[in-house]
Amino acid sequence: MKIETIAIHAGNVPDEVTGAVIQPIVMSTTFERNAEGGYNSGYIYSRSSNPNRTSLENVLTRLEGGADAAAFSSGNAAGMAVFQSLKPGTHVILPDDMYHGLRNQVKNLFADILEFDFIEINDLDVLKQHIKPNTGLIWIETPSNPLLKITDIKKVISIAKQHNIKVVCDNTFATPVFQQPLLLGADLVMHSSTKYFGGHSDLMGGVLITAEKTDWWAKIRQVQEMGGAIPSPMDCYYLVRSIKTLPYRMDGHAKNAQLLAEYLEKHPKVERVLYPGLPSHPQYDIIKQQMNGFGGMLSILIKGGEEESKRVINSLTLFTQATSLGGVESLIEHRASIEGPDTKTPRTLLRVSVGLEHIDDLIADMEKALG
Ligand SMILES: *Cc1c(COP(=O)(O)O)cnc(C)c1O
């Protein structure tokens, strides 16, 4: 089945009792036992599992071509479950350009529990040099946030496999519509479903999808169930609903982003545009091999310094100045100021989440703001 069909059907269970075409939201926290004390439906208590969460996990599994999925209350909770599942003392390698909220989580919450190195992971020699006997996990994020750097997924996996190291890929920017890391050999895929899966900037969520049901995956399931950072039935319902249009939304985001990137690249006030769909991207060859679309995220470096870049933001009307991404409305953000003092993000960088407004209106707004 193609992804458009999976997105619509794999998460939906018509209701046997009422005939409702769309699965009802099951708010009940608890489920009745039968006379023998067992559970006919398999559901016991909603922290362990819930019908709406099961439907969400089913469609996620199918979208990424995995064996199982686990849904969490945020992307960070999903990431946390991965790090909590590791044996204390495990060495983890992460990219130097990655989602700052997860970098801060690892640095602050796991400093005494795990060993870690943040490295230029796209230099494979640097990666090899950092592998140690206790390295258990390589974390990748591609395209990365906010520099849109690309990691060669297959090459990193082949190095990891030689050393028996697991690979997790944060696939939030690409979504399974444009990139399926499990099919390239990754062990786990992680998403912030707050972003494109939700797609309307109105719910928080995170997910993990596994290639195989291993003992490690069982441990992650334990963190989900016993740790309890689970999404509500309402949020699961909304995600299942939003995912139905994911492939079409992603096509629209990518089309708009491509045209905006091409326009901005020619603009005299723009120093550089970072977008995977531009042949000027330094890793365009890898991009074409592992992605079948380029996504809706781009970053621009404005000429004239930080003040000028902030002036541009404040002159826009259709691009809302706000953090986050993946919604139908366009957002823009001066990234260095949210990442805090230790950020390496350039002070003139603006990160753009290109929405689904008409591209002519978006370009006209940019034209006016750039001046
Ligand atoms: C937003 C984001 C996260 C964290 O997800 P939350 O839902 O905000 O907890 C992780 N990775 C990437 C790439 C993100 O954009």
Side-chain angles (χ1 to χ4, degrees):
M1 258 189 238
K2 306 282 190 204
I3 198 156
E4 291 84 352
T5 315
I6 293 172
I8 290 170
H9 289 282
N12 194 42
V13 189
D15 187 35
E16 283 178 17
V17 179
T18 62
V21 173
I22 301 302
Q23 182 181 26
I25 304 170
V26 179
M27 295 300 284
S28 187
T29 54
T30 188
F31 298 82
E32 190 178 14
R33 291 192 193 215
N34 59 28
E36 290 76 48
Y39 293 90
N40 293 345
S41 67
Y43 294 104
I44 302 172
Y45 183 60
S46 270
R47 173 157 43 71
S48 312
S49 62
N50 166 280
N52 298 100
R53 195 156 90 229
T54 304
S55 295
L56 172 61
E57 290 174 347
N58 286 344
V59 66
L60 293 166
T61 302
R62 294 282 304 281
L63 286 174
E64 288 284 5
D68 201 9
F72 295 85
S73 53
S74 71
N76 266 29
M80 179 107 168
V82 172
F83 300 121
Q84 286 180 322
S85 72
L86 301 174
K87 276 207 188 81
T90 301
H91 176 240
V92 182
I93 296 175
L94 306 101
D96 58 3
D97 188 55
M98 68 178 284
Y99 173 65
H100 76 116
L102 274 173
R103 180 171 55 220
N104 289 342
Q105 177 188 101
V106 172
K107 279 188 180 170
N108 289 286
L109 302 184
F110 291 92
D112 303 328
I113 302 169
L114 301 172
E115 282 179 38
F116 41 83
D117 281 307
F118 295 91
I119 63 163
E120 174 42 89
I121 209 156
N122 301 320
D123 182 335
L124 298 177
D125 290 327
V126 172
L127 173 61
K128 285 179 201 159
Q129 283 157 20
H130 280 86
I131 292 175
K132 302 200 278 192
N134 62 335
T135 305
L137 181 74
I138 298 175
W139 184 279
I140 59 176
E141 178 184 318
T142 179
S144 72
N145 182 3
L147 293 178
L148 284 303
K149 286 195 199 173
I150 301 296
T151 301
D152 189 326
I153 301 176
K154 270 193 182 161
K155 286 209 174 124
V156 168
I157 287 167
S158 92
I159 294 168
K161 288 230 159 102
Q162 287 164 27
H163 299 269
N164 229 341
I165 299 169
K166 304 283 185 209
V167 176
V168 179
C169 181
D170 183 339
N171 204 28
T172 301
F173 271 32
T175 80
V177 178
F178 295 140
Q179 178 172 279
Q180 291 172 299
L182 297 183
L183 305 188
L184 301 175
D187 296 282
L188 287 188
V189 160
M190 177 254 158
H191 284 274
S192 166
S193 45
T194 311
K195 313 295 168 53
Y196 288 110
F197 283 171
H200 297 74
S201 308
D202 58 3
L203 64 83
M204 300 287 305
V207 303
L208 297 172
I209 303 112
T210 185
E212 284 175 56
K213 289 192 189 180
T214 55
D215 290 347
W216 181 40
W217 179 251
K219 180 90 191 170
I220 288 173
R221 276 288 195 191
Q222 279 192 330
V223 176
Q224 181 200 28
E225 185 179 333
M226 298 177 186
I230 45 136
S232 71
M234 286 290 268
D235 285 345
C236 294
Y237 169 83
Y238 278 123
L239 272 172
V240 168
R241 190 180 79 155
S242 294
I243 284 171
K244 292 176 190 178
T245 55
L246 178 74
Y248 294 94
R249 285 188 283 109
M250 291 316 295
D251 272 352
H253 285 295
K255 261 188 209 131
N256 275 357
Q258 182 76 38
L259 292 169
L260 187 63
E262 286 169 6
Y263 162 79
L264 290 167
E265 193 168 46
K266 291 197 204 96
H267 200 286
K269 293 254 173 90
V270 176
E271 188 187 314
R272 250 190 96 190
V273 180
L274 309 170
Y275 180 63
L278 292 176
S280 60
H281 192 294
Q283 293 154 302
Y284 196 58
D285 288 343
I286 307 170
I287 293 167
K288 280 189 298 178
Q289 278 172 35
Q290 69 187 28
M291 302 183 78
N292 52 19
F294 307 120
M297 293 301 297
L298 58 90
S299 289
I300 46 179
L301 301 172
I302 300 288
K303 280 184 194 160
E306 181 168 351
E307 284 316 304
E308 175 62 10
S309 67
K310 288 187 170 160
R311 188 200 62 76
V312 170
I313 284 198
N314 291 327
S315 311
L316 289 160
T317 44
L318 281 179
F319 294 82
T320 303
Q321 183 180 185
T323 196
S324 198
L325 61 112
V328 295
E329 60 287 309
S330 292
L331 301 180
I332 191 161
E333 174 176 44
H334 183 255
R335 197 64 196 160
S337 38
I338 193 158
E339 291 186 348
D342 68 339
T343 178
K344 288 182 189 151
T345 298
R347 307 296 310 180
T348 59
L349 181 141
L350 301 181
R351 193 190 72 177
V352 185
S353 173
V354 185
L356 297 180
E357 301 91 342
H358 197 284
I359 185 62
D360 293 351
D361 296 327
L362 293 180
I363 287 179
D365 198 29
M366 277 287 176
E367 180 108 17
K368 185 177 63 76
L370 286 166

Short mmCIF file of all heavy atoms in Angstrom, two decimals, residues 73-78 98-102 139 141 143-145 170-173 190-195 203-206 324-325 335 351, ligand 1:
data_model
loop_
_atom_site.label_atom_id
_atom_site.label_comp_id
_atom_site.label_asym_id
_atom_site.label_seq_id
_atom_site.Cartn_x
_atom_site.Cartn_y
_atom_site.Cartn_z
N SER A 73 3.88 11.61 25.69
CA SER A 73 3.20 12.89 25.86
C SER A 73 3.94 14.06 25.22
O SER A 73 3.39 15.16 25.12
CB SER A 73 2.99 13.15 27.35
OG SER A 73 4.23 13.02 28.02
N SER A 74 5.19 13.87 24.79
CA SER A 74 5.92 14.92 24.06
C SER A 74 7.09 14.26 23.35
O SER A 74 7.44 13.11 23.66
CB SER A 74 6.43 16.01 25.02
OG SER A 74 7.48 15.50 25.81
N GLY A 75 7.72 14.99 22.46
CA GLY A 75 8.92 14.48 21.80
C GLY A 75 10.03 14.25 22.81
O GLY A 75 10.75 13.26 22.74
N ASN A 76 10.15 15.18 23.75
CA ASN A 76 11.19 15.01 24.76
C ASN A 76 10.95 13.78 25.64
O ASN A 76 11.90 13.12 26.06
CB ASN A 76 11.30 16.27 25.63
CG ASN A 76 12.36 17.21 25.10
OD1 ASN A 76 12.63 17.23 23.90
ND2 ASN A 76 12.96 17.98 25.97
N ALA A 77 9.68 13.46 25.92
CA ALA A 77 9.39 12.26 26.70
C ALA A 77 9.79 11.01 25.91
O ALA A 77 10.28 10.03 26.48
CB ALA A 77 7.91 12.20 27.07
N ALA A 78 9.60 11.05 24.60
CA ALA A 78 10.01 9.91 23.76
C ALA A 78 11.53 9.76 23.79
O ALA A 78 12.07 8.65 23.95
CB ALA A 78 9.51 10.11 22.32
N MET A 98 21.74 19.58 16.91
CA MET A 98 20.52 18.78 17.13
C MET A 98 19.52 19.63 17.88
O MET A 98 19.85 20.70 18.39
CB MET A 98 20.84 17.50 17.90
CG MET A 98 21.25 17.74 19.35
SD MET A 98 21.57 16.21 20.27
CE MET A 98 19.91 15.61 20.61
N TYR A 99 18.28 19.13 17.99
CA TYR A 99 17.23 19.85 18.71
C TYR A 99 17.73 20.21 20.11
O TYR A 99 18.07 19.32 20.90
CB TYR A 99 15.96 19.01 18.77
CG TYR A 99 14.92 19.65 19.64
CD1 TYR A 99 14.34 20.86 19.27
CD2 TYR A 99 14.54 19.08 20.85
CE1 TYR A 99 13.41 21.47 20.08
CE2 TYR A 99 13.60 19.69 21.65
CZ TYR A 99 13.05 20.89 21.27
OH TYR A 99 12.13 21.51 22.08
N HIS A 100 17.77 21.52 20.43
CA HIS A 100 18.44 21.98 21.65
C HIS A 100 17.76 21.45 22.92
O HIS A 100 18.42 21.24 23.94
CB HIS A 100 18.51 23.50 21.68
CG HIS A 100 17.21 24.16 22.03
ND1 HIS A 100 17.04 24.91 23.16
CD2 HIS A 100 16.00 24.12 21.41
CE1 HIS A 100 15.78 25.33 23.22
NE2 HIS A 100 15.14 24.87 22.17
N GLY A 101 16.44 21.20 22.86
CA GLY A 101 15.73 20.71 24.05
C GLY A 101 16.18 19.32 24.45
O GLY A 101 16.24 18.98 25.64
N LEU A 102 16.51 18.49 23.47
CA LEU A 102 17.00 17.15 23.79
C LEU A 102 18.48 17.18 24.19
O LEU A 102 18.91 16.42 25.05
CB LEU A 102 16.79 16.20 22.61
CG LEU A 102 15.41 15.54 22.55
CD1 LEU A 102 15.24 14.75 21.26
CD2 LEU A 102 15.20 14.62 23.75
N TRP A 139 22.99 8.67 18.16
CA TRP A 139 21.75 9.43 17.93
C TRP A 139 21.98 10.31 16.71
O TRP A 139 22.99 11.02 16.65
CB TRP A 139 21.46 10.30 19.16
CG TRP A 139 20.17 11.06 19.07
CD1 TRP A 139 19.96 12.23 18.40
CD2 TRP A 139 18.92 10.69 19.65
NE1 TRP A 139 18.64 12.61 18.54
CE2 TRP A 139 17.98 11.69 19.30
CE3 TRP A 139 18.48 9.61 20.44
CZ2 TRP A 139 16.65 11.65 19.72
CZ3 TRP A 139 17.17 9.58 20.85
CH2 TRP A 139 16.26 10.58 20.48
N GLU A 141 20.06 13.07 13.76
CA GLU A 141 18.89 13.90 13.46
C GLU A 141 19.15 14.49 12.08
O GLU A 141 20.09 15.25 11.90
CB GLU A 141 18.79 15.02 14.52
CG GLU A 141 17.63 15.96 14.27
CD GLU A 141 17.61 17.12 15.29
OE1 GLU A 141 17.84 16.90 16.49
OE2 GLU A 141 17.38 18.26 14.85
N PRO A 143 17.08 15.88 8.31
CA PRO A 143 17.87 17.11 8.39
C PRO A 143 17.88 17.64 9.82
O PRO A 143 16.91 17.45 10.56
CB PRO A 143 17.13 18.08 7.47
CG PRO A 143 16.29 17.22 6.57
CD PRO A 143 15.96 16.01 7.36
N SER A 144 18.96 18.34 10.19
CA SER A 144 19.12 18.75 11.58
C SER A 144 18.49 20.12 11.82
O SER A 144 18.23 20.88 10.89
CB SER A 144 20.60 18.78 11.94
OG SER A 144 21.24 19.87 11.30
N ASN A 145 18.29 20.37 13.09
CA ASN A 145 17.62 21.57 13.56
C ASN A 145 18.64 22.44 14.30
O ASN A 145 19.16 21.99 15.31
CB ASN A 145 16.50 21.13 14.51
CG ASN A 145 15.69 22.27 15.06
OD1 ASN A 145 15.89 23.42 14.72
ND2 ASN A 145 14.79 21.95 15.95
N ASP A 170 16.16 10.83 14.77
CA ASP A 170 15.07 11.80 14.96
C ASP A 170 14.63 12.23 13.56
O ASP A 170 15.36 12.90 12.83
CB ASP A 170 15.59 12.99 15.78
CG ASP A 170 14.51 14.03 16.08
OD1 ASP A 170 13.49 14.06 15.35
OD2 ASP A 170 14.69 14.81 17.03
N ASN A 171 13.43 11.78 13.18
CA ASN A 171 12.94 11.97 11.81
C ASN A 171 11.87 13.07 11.74
O ASN A 171 11.06 13.10 10.80
CB ASN A 171 12.35 10.62 11.32
CG ASN A 171 12.33 10.48 9.81
OD1 ASN A 171 13.16 11.08 9.10
ND2 ASN A 171 11.39 9.71 9.29
N THR A 172 11.87 13.96 12.74
CA THR A 172 10.81 14.97 12.85
C THR A 172 10.73 15.88 11.62
O THR A 172 9.64 16.17 11.14
CB THR A 172 11.04 15.83 14.11
OG1 THR A 172 11.04 14.99 15.27
CG2 THR A 172 9.98 16.91 14.27
N PHE A 173 11.88 16.34 11.12
CA PHE A 173 11.86 17.29 10.00
C PHE A 173 11.40 16.63 8.70
O PHE A 173 10.68 17.23 7.92
CB PHE A 173 13.26 17.91 9.79
CG PHE A 173 13.51 19.17 10.58
CD1 PHE A 173 12.93 19.35 11.83
CD2 PHE A 173 14.34 20.17 10.09
CE1 PHE A 173 13.17 20.50 12.57
CE2 PHE A 173 14.57 21.34 10.81
CZ PHE A 173 14.00 21.50 12.06
N MET A 190 12.52 8.33 15.99
CA MET A 190 11.85 9.17 16.98
C MET A 190 11.23 10.37 16.25
O MET A 190 11.78 10.85 15.25
CB MET A 190 12.90 9.64 18.00
CG MET A 190 12.39 10.57 19.05
SD MET A 190 12.96 12.23 18.72
CE MET A 190 11.77 13.17 19.60
N HIS A 191 10.06 10.81 16.73
CA HIS A 191 9.43 12.02 16.21
C HIS A 191 8.90 12.87 17.34
O HIS A 191 8.38 12.32 18.33
CB HIS A 191 8.18 11.68 15.37
CG HIS A 191 8.46 11.15 14.02
ND1 HIS A 191 8.68 11.96 12.94
CD2 HIS A 191 8.56 9.88 13.58
CE1 HIS A 191 8.89 11.21 11.87
NE2 HIS A 191 8.83 9.93 12.23
N SER A 192 8.95 14.16 17.17
CA SER A 192 8.08 15.03 17.94
C SER A 192 6.79 15.12 17.13
O SER A 192 6.75 15.75 16.07
CB SER A 192 8.70 16.42 18.10
OG SER A 192 7.69 17.30 18.56
N SER A 193 5.73 14.47 17.62
CA SER A 193 4.46 14.52 16.87
C SER A 193 3.73 15.84 17.10
O SER A 193 2.68 16.09 16.51
CB SER A 193 3.58 13.31 17.21
OG SER A 193 3.55 13.08 18.59
N THR A 194 4.31 16.67 17.98
CA THR A 194 3.85 18.06 18.13
C THR A 194 3.96 18.80 16.79
O THR A 194 3.24 19.77 16.56
CB THR A 194 4.78 18.78 19.15
OG1 THR A 194 4.91 17.96 20.32
CG2 THR A 194 4.27 20.14 19.51
N LYS A 195 4.84 18.34 15.92
CA LYS A 195 5.20 19.08 14.71
C LYS A 195 4.32 18.63 13.53
O LYS A 195 3.12 18.87 13.55
CB LYS A 195 6.70 18.92 14.45
CG LYS A 195 7.57 19.15 15.70
CD LYS A 195 7.50 20.56 16.24
CE LYS A 195 8.13 20.73 17.62
NZ LYS A 195 9.49 20.25 17.78
N LEU A 203 -1.32 20.43 19.65
CA LEU A 203 -1.16 19.32 20.59
C LEU A 203 0.31 18.96 20.73
O LEU A 203 1.11 19.21 19.83
CB LEU A 203 -1.97 18.09 20.17
CG LEU A 203 -1.65 17.37 18.87
CD1 LEU A 203 -0.49 16.39 19.02
CD2 LEU A 203 -2.87 16.62 18.38
N MET A 204 0.65 18.39 21.90
CA MET A 204 2.02 17.93 22.15
C MET A 204 2.05 16.41 22.06
O MET A 204 1.11 15.74 22.52
CB MET A 204 2.48 18.32 23.57
CG MET A 204 2.49 19.79 23.92
SD MET A 204 3.81 20.75 23.15
CE MET A 204 5.29 19.89 23.63
N GLY A 205 3.13 15.88 21.52
CA GLY A 205 3.26 14.42 21.48
C GLY A 205 4.63 14.01 20.98
O GLY A 205 5.35 14.80 20.37
N GLY A 206 4.98 12.77 21.27
CA GLY A 206 6.24 12.21 20.78
C GLY A 206 6.06 10.74 20.52
O GLY A 206 5.20 10.10 21.15
N SER A 324 8.73 26.47 17.47
CA SER A 324 8.03 25.28 16.98
C SER A 324 7.88 25.32 15.45
O SER A 324 8.34 26.28 14.79
CB SER A 324 6.67 25.08 17.64
OG SER A 324 6.24 23.75 17.44
N LEU A 325 7.27 24.30 14.90
CA LEU A 325 7.25 24.11 13.46
C LEU A 325 6.22 23.06 13.08
O LEU A 325 5.65 22.39 13.94
CB LEU A 325 8.64 23.64 12.99
CG LEU A 325 9.13 22.28 13.57
CD1 LEU A 325 9.19 21.22 12.50
CD2 LEU A 325 10.49 22.45 14.20
N ARG A 335 16.70 31.91 15.97
CA ARG A 335 16.93 30.66 16.68
C ARG A 335 17.94 30.79 17.83
O ARG A 335 17.79 30.17 18.87
CB ARG A 335 17.40 29.61 15.65
CG ARG A 335 17.32 28.18 16.11
CD ARG A 335 15.91 27.72 16.38
NE ARG A 335 15.96 26.49 17.16
CZ ARG A 335 14.97 26.02 17.88
NH1 ARG A 335 13.81 26.63 17.90
NH2 ARG A 335 15.11 24.92 18.57
N ARG A 351 15.10 30.78 11.37
CA ARG A 351 14.55 29.48 10.97
C ARG A 351 13.10 29.66 10.56
O ARG A 351 12.33 30.30 11.29
CB ARG A 351 14.66 28.49 12.12
CG ARG A 351 14.40 27.05 11.69
CD ARG A 351 14.29 26.14 12.86
NE ARG A 351 13.03 26.35 13.59
CZ ARG A 351 12.65 25.64 14.64
NH1 ARG A 351 13.43 24.69 15.12
NH2 ARG A 351 11.50 25.88 15.25
C1 LIG B 1 10.32 19.80 18.78
C2 LIG B 1 11.38 18.79 18.54
C3 LIG B 1 11.69 17.82 19.52
C4 LIG B 1 11.04 17.81 20.89
O1 LIG B 1 9.67 17.57 20.85
P1 LIG B 1 8.59 18.18 21.88
O2 LIG B 1 7.32 17.65 21.36
O3 LIG B 1 8.73 19.66 21.84
O4 LIG B 1 8.94 17.65 23.24
C5 LIG B 1 12.64 16.87 19.19
N1 LIG B 1 13.28 16.89 17.99
C6 LIG B 1 13.01 17.81 17.05
C7 LIG B 1 13.75 17.76 15.76
C8 LIG B 1 12.06 18.79 17.29
O5 LIG B 1 11.82 19.72 16.36
#
